Amino acid sequence: MADWVSVHPFEYDSPLIRLRPDRRVAETDDVADQLGTFLETELADAERIVLVTHSQGGLVVQRFLARKLWNGEGHELARIKHFTMFSCPNTGSGFFLTVRKFLKLWRNPQEQQLRPFDRAVTEAQRTVLSAVVHARGHSDKECPIPVRAYGGSADDIVPPIVARGVFPKGGVVTADHFSIIQPADRTAASYRAVRGALIEVARAASVRESALPLASTAARPSTTKGTGDTAADARIATDAEAADGPSYPPPAAEDPDLAPLPPPPYWQLDEGQLKGEDRHGLVAHLLSEQARRRVHVVAGPGGSGKSRIALEAADRARRAGHRVWWVSAPELSLRMRMIARDLGAPSITVERAWLVGTAMDLVWTLLDACPEPWLLIFDNVDDPERLGSRDGPAASGTGWLRTPQNAKGTVIVTSRVRSRHAWGDASRVHQVLPLDDNDGASMLLERTGGLGGTNEDARRLSRQLGGLPLALRQAADVIKAVHQSQISLDSDIRDFETFRRTVAPRVDTAADQDGPHLSELLGREIVEKVCGIGMDLLTQHELPQAPTLLKVFACLSIAPIPYRCLLTDSALAQSPLFPGATPARTSALLAGLEELGLVDAYEREGVADRRLAGVLTLHPVVHGVLREDEEVRKRPADYYGLAVRMLRSAIQHSNPDHPANWPLWAALSPHALEVSRACLLGDLRLSDRSVRTEALELARLTARYLIATGLLGPAYDLVLPLVERCSSFGFDSDDREILGLRHEQGRVHLDREQLPLAEQVLGRVVRVRTRILGENHADTLASRHKLARAINEQAGREAEAEVMLRSIVEAENEVRGPEHYDTLVVRHTLARTMLARGAHREAEAEAREILSISRRNHWPPATPEILRVQETLTHSLLRQDRARDAEQVIREALQHASQPADSNVVMRLRFTFVLVLLGIRGRTPEAVKELRALVRDLDRVVTSEHPLSVQARALLETAVREMPT
């Protein structure tokens, strides 16, 4: 990275004592200001800065950030793009504390802030958490900066739990207090953490701008003896001007679990204050000590403001320094997997849990062990069984929804379901009532900016709309748009009273209701009519296609919609719903929908890809109302057909197996799942077979993405009903479209190590595909390869698998070509089979040829398949007693691996490295040392029953027993 990163040490003095009376030891605030001066003078021209600190240096940077924000200078922090701390005493260092307190010579003011729970440290951390880590935008008082805190597993000066502190992102690496910033090589986790931060900043810059090269500067402050703690390291990476563009490393396969968990939709807080004394009281209760160790269900009709209450609780919790996770129902499995990683679960642990079906237990083990206060929110769960397990309903407490055993944990669920029976006896249901007339009037007046009339007019309209926040908001937006819109809205509606008179004939029961309770049916009717007024305004004037577009959005999921990916000219222009569609026209339709409050559009922070950053949402009630719209029900092929084609167009050139495409797939998969199920398993009665055929292909590709990212449960839940019920939507189980889904079903069994089941499913697919498509058709070859794998991995059947694989390789050479990636994957399976059968030289030759082709085609050396080929080559050399040649190969693989140190692929490479060392005379002590480190890491990240852990322990016992004394 030397050509795009430059390193600048920031040094400051931290002596044990001052013997000269004319000199003082700088306090932490002084050092923080000194850092500010350094950035302003030495790095005045830097456009992007990455801060990396060691030990107390993290406290210096936190104090620097906090003081800037306290002084209203948040905009000056905008060029700081990342902040990583190693071994920072975030809750104080207890090491040598008694001596430090009472040794008379110790008068270092910097030491005072190493003491646990120092007030100045706590103040700074509160500010950094609320106004940096959880900042919603750039202002004088806020500046969003990614912050990571890492601890060393062998650090007794600043233990990992202290180093992590209150910061939600980071982790634990294998190191002590000093070696954590002295990585032995490029495979060290601390090195990869810094490297990852630099690449993240560089790539983000390359998308936002034409991209100046990211220069990196590292700075090492002076280290002095005395505290038992090194004085702070502060490393600063900045932009450096260069004539040439940045030479970024080639994109390699990323860990699917490294994507950050999206934050709660805090942007919605800008839409106005929470109304209702009872709602404020509920929020206060949800965050109280009494509410902890409980599941709280916030229940009420659609549009009553349940999610807004949960969001208010989330915002207050994060400002208090709590960890907050927001899980939307359509993305349940993916979000829970992200939470597992966010809680520090290593990649290998997460991968195994999602593979063998213990994911729910893993997440709750982590939550119950979390040392910080936390809040977990499940939003819009209108089907409680989605939170249950395969063995029991949500109320059983065995699924995703459980009562926290951690005294610092709280769970909130928002739902229309009010029945306590659905949630279990341990859950507490809080019913959300409509706003009273005064609170409803206040909401109307504030949202219209006083344009709608008197307070009494607002009270009457609020009563007419049942005090339903969603309806009040949309009514206010219509009134405001009539007065201020850029589009022509010539309407009889001018104020609260005229809106009330317009809506009264459409729904006249709300004003006469008895008491504060509002039925679900009445609430839905109110929203439908108010929404209809807005759509009528758009239809009658310049934007008649705006309501049509809104109905198309309703065919998708309630998850955020990345509209820039979907609203392409070709997809819209080919639909009979949008004749003559142009980009300008489409933008005008979106603007009209947003202006009348029918959609909410916003930019997601931290998303570098502009196509994915811009999203819009529909309220779930509006979504449900429009799905039942008469026109949508009459023309399902047009509406759902367009939804299918938009999704197919967006993913057309994005292979779901390639990690570089996973961010796009993560954004679109909830919509692909919803649309394909609606088209095939719903009650739409689609007469257009082409739409059903396209929906099947969309489902197959989505299943491939889910399998590739390890989400086997959702993949199976998608595929199995489509296979079993295919006749209900006009397909036979042996039709090629269904065979594609059955192929993915077999892959799920294969990845779950259910080998006989995989062989059974894939065997039938191969037979039928061979009959229909031919033996050497690309689809048939793919199924033949998976079948051969299922056979090969069953003991004693390697010879049978080898015959199959040789035939497949020969065919792949003709069909796809000898250098196609799929061909090489099959060749690697053949090499492994040769190895298992004792054909070591042949396996070596096959592996070397694969690696030669990969280098010739410039494939990233960190690609998992390439690393596994190097592992196979290493074993083939070992079996030929060529351990020194094997050492060269496995060291190269470890050097190239960019995956986390605790990932399955890296752990396996480390195990193979140990086997190589044991095969070299005189290297047994080194091998035992490496193996002990591997076993320690495995003990930290997986259970003792994990296959690799069992192998490593057995090998360690044997190696120690046979090691010469």
Side-chain angles (χ1 to χ4, degrees):
M1 291 188 235
D3 57 342
W4 54 281
V5 176
S6 57
V7 178
H8 302 271
F10 169 67
E11 299 185 358
Y12 68 90
D13 202 16
S14 182
L16 170 60
I17 56 173
R18 280 286 190 218
L19 298 179
R20 289 182 55 174
D22 61 330
R23 293 188 179 180
R24 62 189 281 272
V25 178
E27 297 184 1
T28 302
D29 281 353
D30 299 325
V31 181
D33 291 343
Q34 183 183 346
L35 173 60
T37 303
F38 178 86
L39 297 177
E40 291 173 7
T41 56
E42 299 298 318
L43 303 176
D45 297 329
E47 294 182 10
R48 292 183 294 280
I49 297 175
V50 174
L51 300 173
V52 184
T53 67
H54 177 241
S55 193
Q56 195 175 353
L59 301 181
V60 170
V61 172
Q62 290 179 50
R63 197 70 180 173
F64 161 71
L65 297 173
R67 284 165 67 82
K68 281 287 189 184
L69 293 167
W70 293 335
N71 292 332
E73 300 171 342
H75 285 296
E76 296 182 15
L77 302 176
R79 60 190 183 135
I80 298 175
K81 303 301 184 183
H82 213 289
F83 171 28
T84 296
M85 296 177 280
F86 290 108
S87 295
C88 178
N90 280 308
T91 58
S93 173
F95 184 78
F96 218 40
L97 179 60
T98 303
V99 177
R100 284 175 13 215
K101 279 185 177 179
F102 297 105
L103 186 62
K104 298 297 184 183
L105 292 176
W106 210 306
R107 291 295 181 265
N108 189 327
Q110 296 169 25
E111 185 278 330
Q112 304 291 317
Q113 296 193 351
L114 290 175
R115 297 182 183 177
F117 308 110
D118 177 81
R119 182 175 179 180
V121 171
T122 304
E123 286 177 348
Q125 285 182 352
R126 277 204 199 101
T127 299
V128 171
L129 275 171
S130 64
V132 175
V133 175
H134 299 302
R136 299 202 299 270
H138 291 276
S139 70
D140 291 339
K141 297 295 185 181
E142 283 190 318
C143 182
I145 301 171
V147 178
R148 304 288 186 268
Y150 294 91
S153 59
D155 191 342
D156 202 33
I157 296 174
V158 180
I161 193 171
V162 173
R164 290 293 307 276
V166 297
F167 293 97
K169 302 289 186 180
V172 179
V173 301
T174 305
D176 58 28
H177 188 72
F178 303 100
S179 64
I180 197 169
I181 57 164
Q182 298 169 340
D185 52 38
R186 292 171 58 190
T187 65
S190 56
Y191 168 83
R192 285 208 302 271
V194 176
R195 180 178 183 269
L198 294 172
I199 293 172
E200 178 184 333
V201 173
R203 286 179 177 165
S206 70
V207 172
R208 285 193 302 269
E209 314 164 8
S210 56
L212 284 175
L214 179 72
S216 130
T217 25
R220 181 180 298 275
S222 60
T223 302
T224 57
K225 299 177 182 178
T227 63
D229 193 358
T230 59
D233 261 332
R235 290 190 171 84
I236 303 161
T238 71
D239 278 356
E241 293 183 3
D244 298 323
S247 60
Y248 301 134
E254 301 291 342
D255 187 328
D257 298 315
L258 291 183
L261 181 71
Y266 291 125
W267 60 270
Q268 294 179 2
L269 296 171
D270 298 333
E271 296 187 353
Q273 296 290 324
L274 182 69
K275 299 298 180 185
E277 185 176 343
D278 57 335
R279 296 172 185 238
H280 282 283
L282 176 55
V283 171
H285 171 72
L286 293 173
L287 297 178
S288 67
E289 292 286 341
Q290 295 80 4
R292 293 186 179 178
R293 300 186 72 169
R294 293 290 297 269
V295 172
H296 299 269
V297 181
V298 179
S304 59
K306 304 179 295 295
S307 296
R308 181 64 177 79
I309 291 170
L311 186 61
E312 187 75 23
D315 184 53
R316 295 185 192 182
R318 62 118 178 187
R319 291 184 179 278
H322 297 191
R323 302 183 74 172
V324 179
W325 301 285
W326 185 279
V327 178
S328 57
E331 302 168 287
L332 179 62
S333 186
L334 177 60
R335 293 286 182 104
M336 299 306 288
R337 183 167 178 146
M338 290 175 170
I339 288 175
R341 289 307 307 272
D342 197 45
L343 284 164
S347 173
I348 189 173
T349 306
V350 173
E351 182 180 328
R352 187 72 183 173
W354 259 258
L355 176 69
V356 301
T358 58
M360 297 172 180
D361 293 334
L362 170 65
V363 171
W364 274 101
T365 298
L366 295 167
L367 286 169
D368 286 333
C370 181
E372 303 98 344
W374 55 263
L375 176 63
L376 172 61
I377 298 170
F378 294 102
D379 188 40
N380 284 321
V381 185
D382 294 330
D383 178 8
E385 300 317 303
R386 295 196 66 173
L387 299 182
S389 67
R390 294 187 182 276
D391 300 324
S396 69
T398 59
W400 290 122
L401 184 65
R402 304 185 185 186
T403 301
Q405 303 303 305
N406 187 333
K408 297 182 178 181
T410 307
V411 177
I412 296 175
V413 182
T414 68
S415 177
R416 299 182 203 175
V417 179
R418 311 177 198 184
S419 167
R420 186 168 180 174
H421 175 74
W423 302 109
D425 293 337
S427 301
R428 182 175 179 188
V429 179
H430 306 270
Q431 188 166 343
V432 178
L433 301 178
L435 295 175
D436 64 28
D437 293 351
N438 290 326
D439 288 323
S442 176
M443 182 177 179
L444 286 168
L445 288 163
E446 289 178 15
R447 196 166 181 89
T448 57
L451 295 172
T454 67
N455 185 65
E456 196 56 40
D457 291 338
R459 283 170 53 84
R460 282 196 296 269
L461 178 56
S462 176
R463 178 108 180 130
Q464 182 72 53
L465 298 180
L468 203 62
L470 176 60
L472 294 170
R473 183 190 124 182
Q474 290 186 338
D477 287 347
V478 168
I479 293 167
K480 190 174 180 179
V482 168
H483 283 272
Q484 299 181 346
S485 177
Q486 299 296 317
I487 58 178
S488 173
L489 291 175
D490 183 15
S491 170
D492 292 336
I493 295 175
R494 308 300 300 172
D495 51 27
F496 300 139
E497 183 58 25
T498 51
F499 192 100
R500 188 186 69 80
R501 289 201 299 265
T502 302
V503 78
R506 304 185 184 213
V507 49
D508 56 5
T509 53
D512 301 325
Q513 64 180 347
D514 184 20
H517 296 278
L518 188 70
S519 71
E520 179 71 35
L521 186 60
L522 178 56
R524 182 185 175 96
E525 182 184 354
I526 291 171
V527 171
E528 181 179 2
K529 302 310 179 187
V530 173
C531 180
I533 290 173
M535 292 196 296
D536 287 347
L537 283 174
L538 292 170
T539 301
Q540 294 164 9
H541 298 94
E542 295 183 353
L543 300 172
Q545 291 179 338
T548 303
L549 182 59
L550 187 64
K551 294 170 187 177
V552 173
F553 288 148
C555 296
L556 302 171
S557 167
I558 61 171
I561 300 170
Y563 60 90
R564 291 182 185 132
C565 297
L566 298 175
L567 298 180
T568 60
D569 295 343
S570 57
L572 292 180
Q574 292 174 13
S575 169
L577 298 174
F578 297 95
T582 64
R585 190 67 177 167
T586 303
S587 296
L589 299 180
L590 288 172
L593 291 173
E594 185 179 13
E595 197 166 20
L596 269 70
L598 296 170
V599 299
D600 292 311
Y602 63 99
E603 296 287 318
R604 293 193 296 177
E605 294 183 4
V607 179
D609 189 339
R610 183 179 178 276
R611 299 177 308 151
L612 303 180
V615 295
L616 60 81
T617 60
L618 278 69
H619 191 281
V621 179
V622 176
H623 180 272
V625 165
L626 293 177
R627 284 177 80 106
E628 298 302 319
D629 179 82
E630 183 179 0
E631 184 183 10
V632 174
R633 305 299 294 181
K634 284 183 177 179
R635 302 176 63 185
D638 290 336
Y639 280 92
Y640 282 89
L642 176 56
V644 170
R645 284 189 291 275
M646 288 194 305
L647 289 163
R648 288 289 311 276
S649 177
I651 61 173
Q652 185 175 8
H653 302 294
S654 299
N655 189 322
D657 297 326
H658 293 176
N661 298 325
W662 288 347
L664 174 65
W665 274 99
L668 295 178
S669 59
H671 305 291
L673 287 166
E674 180 68 30
V675 171
S676 58
R677 285 173 172 149
C679 289
L680 301 168
L681 301 178
D683 60 351
L684 294 176
R685 298 178 183 175
L686 278 169
S687 58
D688 190 335
R689 186 178 178 87
S690 65
V691 174
R692 283 176 279 150
T693 302
E694 287 194 78
L696 282 169
E697 180 62 8
L698 179 64
R700 185 186 71 83
L701 292 170
T702 305
R704 277 179 59 186
Y705 159 72
L706 295 171
I707 294 169
T709 52
L711 299 173
L712 301 181
Y716 196 74
D717 292 342
L718 168 64
V719 168
L720 188 62
L722 295 177
V723 171
E724 292 182 339
R725 296 169 55 187
C726 63
S727 61
S728 68
F729 49 86
F731 285 81
D732 185 81
S733 60
D734 285 348
D735 284 341
R736 64 182 66 191
E737 294 85 357
I738 305 302
L739 288 172
L741 294 171
R742 288 166 57 190
H743 172 87
E744 304 306 330
Q745 179 187 357
R747 287 184 61 197
V748 172
H749 289 310
L750 183 59
D751 285 359
R752 283 178 167 171
E753 301 170 8
Q754 300 167 330
L755 301 179
L757 268 176
E759 182 181 359
Q760 178 184 342
V761 172
L762 291 166
R764 182 175 174 185
V765 172
V766 167
R767 288 192 296 275
V768 179
R769 277 185 162 175
T770 300
R771 173 168 53 82
I772 295 175
L773 305 175
E775 185 179 30
N776 293 339
H777 187 277
D779 291 346
T780 308
L781 290 173
S783 297
R784 289 174 62 192
H785 176 220
K786 299 301 181 188
L787 176 61
R789 275 190 53 197
I791 293 172
N792 184 53
E793 293 176 20
Q794 298 179 55
R797 301 184 65 184
E798 293 85 357
E800 180 183 350
E802 183 176 355
V803 173
M804 295 176 64
L805 288 165
R806 288 187 182 278
S807 171
I808 297 168
V809 169
E810 183 178 343
E812 289 281 17
N813 285 334
E814 295 296 325
V815 175
R816 289 190 173 96
E819 299 197 356
H820 191 278
Y821 180 80
D822 290 349
T823 304
L824 297 187
V825 171
V826 180
R827 291 184 65 177
H828 181 212
T829 306
L830 175 59
R832 289 169 51 209
T833 306
M834 293 171 174
L835 190 64
R837 296 195 63 228
H840 306 142
R841 288 186 182 277
E842 290 87 343
E844 176 193 354
E846 194 73 21
R848 289 194 184 279
E849 178 62 17
I850 295 170
L851 293 174
S852 174
I853 293 173
S854 73
R855 285 189 289 269
R856 187 160 63 244
N857 288 282
H858 306 291
W859 293 343
T863 302
E865 187 68 23
I866 301 304
L867 295 174
R868 286 190 282 266
V869 172
Q870 288 179 293
E871 182 186 6
T872 299
L873 175 58
T874 302
H875 283 289
S876 69
L877 293 169
L878 269 179
R879 306 282 176 84
Q880 299 176 61
D881 296 325
R882 294 163 58 190
R884 295 198 178 277
D885 291 341
E887 182 181 11
Q888 181 180 350
V889 174
I890 196 63
R891 281 190 181 277
E892 182 180 287
L894 283 166
Q895 183 180 15
H896 287 155
S898 63
Q899 292 78 5
D902 55 26
S903 65
N904 185 56
V905 65
V906 174
M907 290 284 201
R908 290 195 60 83
L909 292 175
R910 290 173 63 187
F911 182 75
T912 303
F913 179 55
V914 169
L915 294 177
V916 170
L917 293 177
L918 289 172
I920 301 175
R921 184 183 299 275
R923 305 283 292 277
T924 301
E926 182 183 353
V928 169
K929 180 181 177 181
E930 292 285 343
L931 189 54
R932 281 179 172 147
L934 176 60
V935 168
R936 280 198 304 271
D937 289 346
L938 286 167
D939 287 344
R940 177 172 56 84
V941 301
V942 298
T943 64
S944 58
E945 292 81 19
H946 189 280
L948 187 58
S949 181
V950 172
Q951 285 181 288
R953 286 185 171 281
L955 183 61
L956 179 59
E957 291 179 10
T958 302
V960 169
R961 186 171 58 249
E962 297 179 357
M963 186 171 63
T965 56

